Amino acid sequence: MGSIYGYIRVSTREQNEERQRVALRNAGVPEDNICMDKQSGRDFDRPRYQQLLDMLQRDDLLFVKSIDRLGRNYEEILQQWRILTKEKGVDIAVLDMPLLDTRRGKDLMGTFLSDIVLQVLSFVAENERDNIRQRQAEGIAAAKANGVLFGRPPKPLPKKFWWVYPKWKAKKMSGAAAARACGMPLSSFLYRAKRCAGRDAGANGSAT
C-alpha cells in the first residue's frame, strides 16, 4: 500500500473546513498529507489539488469528505475520478459514502457498481447546488422587491454637494466644475447628482 492523502476544498463563505479536516484525521490521514484549496465565488483555480495530482503515485490512497470536493459539476467530478483511478492508479475513499471506496470490490462487478453509484451521486450533488443557487436568486429577487439594498452603503456626500448640486441642475455649473468644488471624481459626482435628480423628478410627479 502507498501513501495516504486527504483533500479539502472550501469556499470563502463555507465554515466546514475544520469539519473536513477532523474527518480526514480520524480516517488516518497524516496532517502533512492534507491538501486544501479555498476558493471564492466563481473562481475554481485549485493549485493545491494540482500539486496533489503531481504527488500521487500508483497504489496511494486519497480520502475526501464528500464527492463534490472533487469538482464543481457532474462532468468534472467524473473526469477527476477517472484521472485518479484509471490514469494515476490511485484508490479513493469518500467518507460520506462508504460505497465509494475503490479498495472494495476490485473485480469487474465491484468496479461497475462503484461507477453507477458515482454517477448517481455526482448528478445529485450538482442538482443540489443548482437548487441552492436558484433559491438564493429567488431570495435576493424577493428581498430587492421589498426594498432591501445589497452591497456596501454609499459614502456620505460632501457638505458642498448640496450647495453645488442645484447650480449643476440649473446648468449654471458644469459637471467638471461641480465635481472639483465637491472634491469628488467627475463620474462619482454625476452618478450621485443624477440619482438626486431622479428622486426630485419622482417627488414632483407624485406631488402633482
Side-chain angles (χ1 to χ4, degrees):
M1 184 176 174
S3 301
I4 300 176
Y5 293 90
Y7 178 64
I8 296 171
R9 179 175 64 81
V10 294
S11 76
T12 53
R13 293 176 296 178
E14 288 180 303
Q15 302 297 322
N16 64 351
E17 171 190 335
E18 190 57 27
R19 180 171 61 85
Q20 292 184 59
R21 192 177 294 277
V22 168
L24 294 177
R25 285 198 207 105
N26 291 341
V29 182
E31 184 67 33
D32 290 344
N33 286 2
I34 296 177
C35 298
M36 185 185 78
D37 282 312
K38 181 170 285 192
Q39 62 187 84
S40 60
R42 296 181 180 178
D43 177 27
F44 206 72
D45 183 26
R46 298 189 292 170
R48 289 292 286 151
Y49 181 73
Q50 296 304 319
Q51 292 174 9
L52 177 61
L53 282 180
D54 292 337
M55 290 188 294
L56 287 168
Q57 303 292 324
R58 181 168 295 275
D59 296 326
D60 285 347
L61 172 60
L62 174 64
F63 281 99
V64 291
K65 182 72 169 65
S66 57
I67 190 62
D68 61 355
R69 301 302 93 184
L70 289 180
R72 57 187 161 178
N73 56 45
Y74 174 73
E75 291 183 1
E76 191 163 60
I77 292 170
L78 293 176
Q79 179 189 33
Q80 293 306 317
W81 185 276
R82 290 178 181 128
I83 289 173
L84 290 163
T85 59
K86 303 294 193 296
E87 297 179 17
K88 303 286 294 186
V90 173
D91 277 316
I92 307 176
V94 180
L95 297 176
D96 282 354
M97 179 54 63
L99 282 174
L100 289 179
D101 187 337
T102 58
R103 295 171 296 177
R104 304 168 46 142
K106 292 283 189 178
D107 58 5
L108 181 61
M109 181 58 70
T111 302
F112 175 70
L113 291 174
S114 179
D115 283 349
I116 289 177
V117 173
L118 171 65
Q119 292 192 41
V120 171
L121 290 178
S122 299
F123 173 78
V124 170
E126 182 178 0
N127 191 57
E128 178 58 22
R129 280 193 297 273
D130 288 342
N131 289 338
I132 290 172
R133 283 193 291 267
Q134 182 178 346
R135 288 195 294 269
Q136 288 174 337
E138 290 172 351
I140 291 171
K144 285 182 176 178
N146 289 325
V148 177
L149 299 178
F150 291 87
R152 289 181 296 180
K155 292 181 180 179
L157 288 167
K159 291 181 180 179
K160 283 188 176 180
F161 178 88
W162 300 110
W163 174 79
V164 169
Y165 164 67
K167 296 180 179 294
W168 168 84
K169 188 178 178 184
K171 298 184 179 180
K172 295 179 179 179
M173 183 179 285
S174 69
R180 282 196 302 272
C182 293
M184 299 172 68
L186 176 59
S187 58
S188 298
F189 173 81
L190 292 176
Y191 173 74
R192 300 297 291 273
K194 287 175 182 177
R195 290 195 65 181
C196 289
R199 283 197 293 267
D200 290 347
N204 291 336
S206 61
T208 58

